[in-house]
Amino acid sequence: MSRLFLGLDSSTQSLTAVVIDLTSREIVYEDSVGFDETFPSYGTQNGVFPHQDPRVVHTPPLIWVEALDVLFEKMSDAGARLSEVLAVSGSGQQHGSVYLNDEAAKALEGLDPSRSLKENLEGVFSRQTSPVWMDSSTTRECSEICEELGGLGATAEATGSTTFERFTGPQIRKFFKTEPAAYEDTNHIALVSSFMASLMAGRIAPIDHGDGAGMNLMDIRTRRWHAGALEATAPGLEGRLPSLAESWTCIGPVSPYFAERYELNANAKALVWSGDNPNSVVGLGLIREGMVAISLGTSDTYFGTMKDCRFDPRGEGHVFVSPTGDYVTLICFKNGSLAREKVKDSFGLDWDGFSRALSTAPPGNDGKVMLPYFEPEIVPNVFEPGVRRIGLEEDDISGNCRAVVEAQMISMRIHAKWMGVSTTKIYATGGASGNRDILQVMADVQGCPVYRFETTNSAALGAALRAAHGYLLESGNEMPWDEVVSGFADPVSGSAINPAPDAREIYAELIRKYEACETEVTGA
Ligand code: ADP
Ligand code: XUL
């Protein structure tokens, strides 16, 4: 008998659904709604508002709300068997925050199925836009909070990361300082993940430990709100935050809105959501320590599972909580897919053309180097965007296509050293992991095989698997994680992309050169 579970992923550029059948171990449905193309009236580009200051990056939360209706409509039209779904969970882009007024709780509880979600919720926002993970405009607030908590090391020990511009605490502090009246009108602050979970459950949802760890507000060891961090961030903050919860917590049944409007099983359980990276940990089956994945989504992330809490002495990495209860260590590079797209578009190429150009240039690119800071960068910390080319002409098509990918892979290699993991294989996911030529560079630079998965939607798949795990636990039939992910999170057999025999030597040389260029430019 089928056992269906729904996973949703509210990411930077799209909302995705994956339905799995836990009995047959199959993905039975997979589809996405892209924000820019589905809702052009908002004027977003790649899911965010263009702004004259490249450091300010916001998205209107109503676009996520509208997307949920459109996606459910699509699922219903496509016969995704919503009436058989046993539980729903989800994944959200990390760090982004949603600000709700005193109308919100009532509106969520009484969602009227004869009106759209947007019509139901238009009046509930105390801030019309949400700062998202690409925002880097809170440097001052980061310093203020970090100093209050005793500096870089103490902040990382307390909250899992030192303060980062995109993290929710510094963003909340900026909101409180620059728009005090709107902060005063805010009754609830949600993450993208907990906001979307609130829509599904029809009530204000808790924040799970995985995504809570990306706020600079949660004590990474006790997994409770950190009193000192709350105080350093904004007055009256605790009353505005929901409770924290384990990632397998069941909030209640799904809101009747979805049952009545789309025939979702009225008894389906709504579970808490988590961040996209913690969800991908499950979607890729990174259950054991030492397993490493690289996600090539809008951002590029490098992450793995840890049993114990270990911190990056340089302060570039993060410790989050895994949906399994262990820890996730992660580094986020902002100039991911959008930087690759900028190079591709500057030569009028499609992805096939980009791949052909990239493979025309030799590994090592004859020593040509690009520092690809199209946007301000998170790792290494680059405040002013700017692309630098060393020995590389701006009109050299194949040289630039190879240089941007080599730069990204080398940067990951350099900045992941602190994790102390001897990487014997890497799992690749995210939109760009379907590109074999990009993964070949990854294998060559990392010096180990790279494995691909059938779906590039590992976050949505992880959410569906979390829904299954939480449902079984709640109904007294707990299934060990190894068993939950088995058959789903297995790399496509025969998909290993191995490093070329001469890659080690070529890249040893280029990594040295790149590191020297990076140090010169960033002064680090
Ligand atoms: P997110 O979840 O962060 O919204 P995705 O994981 O869906 O992002 O990845 C979207 C990105 O994937 C797009 O911005 C695009 O640049 C990239 N992408 C899609 N197809 C390819 C391809 N064939 N080669 C390289 N990049 C690709
Ligand atoms: C992780 C990060 C991004 C976002 C969007 O710290 O900022 O990976 O989660 O994907």
Side-chain angles (χ1 to χ4, degrees):
M1 204 176 74
S2 304
R3 286 174 298 167
L4 302 190
F5 296 94
L6 169 62
L8 299 165
D9 174 28
S10 182
S11 75
T12 316
Q13 306 193 49
S14 57
L15 179 70
T16 298
V18 164
V19 179
I20 57 165
D21 180 350
L22 192 68
T23 305
S24 65
R25 303 272 152 180
E26 280 171 323
I27 292 179
V28 296
Y29 178 86
E30 194 168 7
D31 205 357
S32 281
V33 173
F35 301 140
D36 296 355
E37 59 274 28
T38 314
F39 310 106
S41 63
Y42 287 92
T44 54
Q45 282 173 18
N46 297 107
V48 301
F49 278 140
H51 195 281
Q52 70 223 29
D53 180 348
R55 286 178 284 269
V56 176
V57 186
H58 287 217
T59 293
L62 274 175
I63 212 169
W64 304 323
V65 170
E66 277 208 75
L68 194 58
D69 261 332
V70 172
L71 188 59
F72 264 96
E73 222 163 271
K74 275 181 127 180
M75 287 193 276
S76 173
D77 291 349
R81 295 162 64 194
L82 292 175
S83 61
E84 295 173 52
V85 166
L86 297 171
V88 184
S89 188
S91 152
Q93 53 169 309
Q94 296 196 253
H95 318 296
S97 41
V98 181
Y99 299 77
L100 302 167
N101 61 27
D102 60 0
E103 305 274 311
K106 202 165 71 223
L108 286 166
E109 277 155 35
L111 289 174
D112 171 4
S114 70
R115 298 189 302 150
S116 67
L117 281 175
K118 184 183 177 200
E119 286 165 334
N120 271 284
L121 294 172
E122 232 149 5
V124 309
F125 299 96
S126 55
R127 190 183 196 183
Q128 298 310 312
T129 64
S130 289
V132 298
W133 67 274
M134 296 171 85
D135 190 289
S136 56
S137 66
T138 63
T139 304
R140 181 168 305 157
E141 289 73 21
C142 282
S143 310
E144 289 165 355
I145 297 169
C146 185
E147 197 174 310
E148 203 54 34
L149 290 177
L152 186 149
T155 306
E157 288 270 341
T159 71
S161 306
T162 187
T163 44
F164 277 85
E165 278 79 355
R166 69 192 190 287
F167 275 43
T168 326
Q171 292 290 342
I172 293 172
R173 180 162 179 77
K174 182 180 167 198
F175 181 53
F176 153 70
K177 281 168 54 183
T178 55
E179 299 180 56
Y183 179 77
E184 205 44 52
D185 282 346
T186 301
N187 290 62
H188 308 279
I189 300 176
L191 290 180
V192 177
S193 59
S194 73
F195 173 64
M196 297 301 286
S198 304
L199 302 184
M200 283 312 308
R203 64 168 89 165
I204 301 287
I207 287 176
D208 90 302
H209 294 152
D211 221 11
M215 300 174 80
N216 283 138
L217 291 174
M218 187 184 87
D219 184 321
I220 192 68
R221 292 180 202 277
T222 64
R223 304 181 182 185
R224 300 213 177 113
W225 295 122
H226 188 287
L230 295 177
E231 201 169 307
T233 300
L237 183 51
E238 186 156 19
R240 290 174 166 85
L241 292 170
S243 55
L244 285 162
E246 279 154 333
S247 308
W248 47 84
T249 307
C250 176
I251 310 168
V254 292
S255 161
Y257 176 90
F258 298 94
E260 286 181 38
R261 211 171 148 108
Y262 304 111
E263 294 182 358
L264 177 63
N265 171 15
N267 297 317
K269 293 184 192 310
L271 274 97
V272 295
W273 289 34
S274 189
D276 53 355
N277 293 295
N279 273 289
S280 282
V281 164
V282 169
L284 297 171
L286 301 192
I287 304 297
R288 281 178 298 281
E289 183 151 55
M291 298 171 83
V292 168
I294 293 179
S295 170
L296 304 173
T298 307
S299 63
D300 288 347
T301 53
Y302 183 107
F303 55 100
T305 293
M306 281 192 307
K307 290 280 173 206
D308 303 313
C309 226
R310 201 166 48 237
F311 299 100
D312 168 16
R314 296 216 293 193
E316 291 176 342
H318 314 301
V319 179
F320 298 147
V321 177
S322 163
T324 62
D326 296 322
Y327 292 96
V328 183
T329 169
L330 178 137
I331 313 170
C332 180
F333 304 85
K334 180 146 94 175
N335 282 278
S337 279
L338 299 188
R340 292 185 285 276
E341 266 176 41
K342 287 246 166 73
V343 174
K344 168 178 88 63
D345 294 345
S346 71
F347 297 119
L349 301 170
D350 57 13
W351 283 120
D352 283 343
F354 179 88
S355 286
R356 272 196 301 278
L358 155 67
S359 358
T360 314
N365 218 359
D366 295 322
K368 299 169 192 171
V369 167
M370 177 195 288
L371 295 176
Y373 310 132
F374 291 86
E375 307 268 343
E377 182 50 75
I378 297 167
V379 175
N381 191 345
V382 176
F383 195 68
E384 289 293 342
V387 178
R388 321 291 201 289
R389 293 179 176 82
I390 297 110
L392 171 67
E393 297 298 326
E394 205 171 336
D395 60 357
D396 173 351
I397 302 180
S398 55
N400 278 276
C401 292
R402 179 167 278 279
V404 66
V405 178
E406 285 187 342
Q408 295 174 322
M409 300 305 156
I410 291 175
S411 183
M412 285 193 195
R413 175 108 195 239
I414 296 171
H415 294 280
K417 272 188 219 154
W418 70 273
M419 290 186 188
V421 182
S422 78
T423 323
T424 52
K425 60 176 154 190
I426 287 177
Y427 293 158
T429 184
S433 69
N435 189 318
R436 205 182 189 288
D437 296 288
I438 292 179
L439 298 195
Q440 184 63 56
V441 180
M442 186 187 284
D444 287 346
V445 172
Q446 296 288 339
C448 66
V450 171
Y451 292 83
R452 292 200 287 181
F453 292 80
E454 210 167 304
T455 177
T456 56
N457 292 319
S458 59
L461 172 60
L465 291 166
R466 287 182 40 249
H469 171 263
Y471 172 86
L472 293 172
L473 189 68
E474 172 87 1
S475 39
N477 300 308
E478 182 174 5
M479 188 185 269
W481 274 109
D482 272 340
E483 207 180 310
V484 174
V485 303
S486 154
F488 288 106
D490 299 337
V492 175
S493 78
S495 74
I497 296 167
N498 291 300
D502 52 354
R504 179 187 288 266
E505 212 174 309
I506 294 170
Y507 284 107
E509 177 72 27
L510 195 64
I511 290 169
R512 264 196 302 277
K513 180 166 180 184
Y514 186 90
E515 205 164 6
C517 294
E518 190 191 88
T519 307
E520 196 182 315
V521 166
T522 62

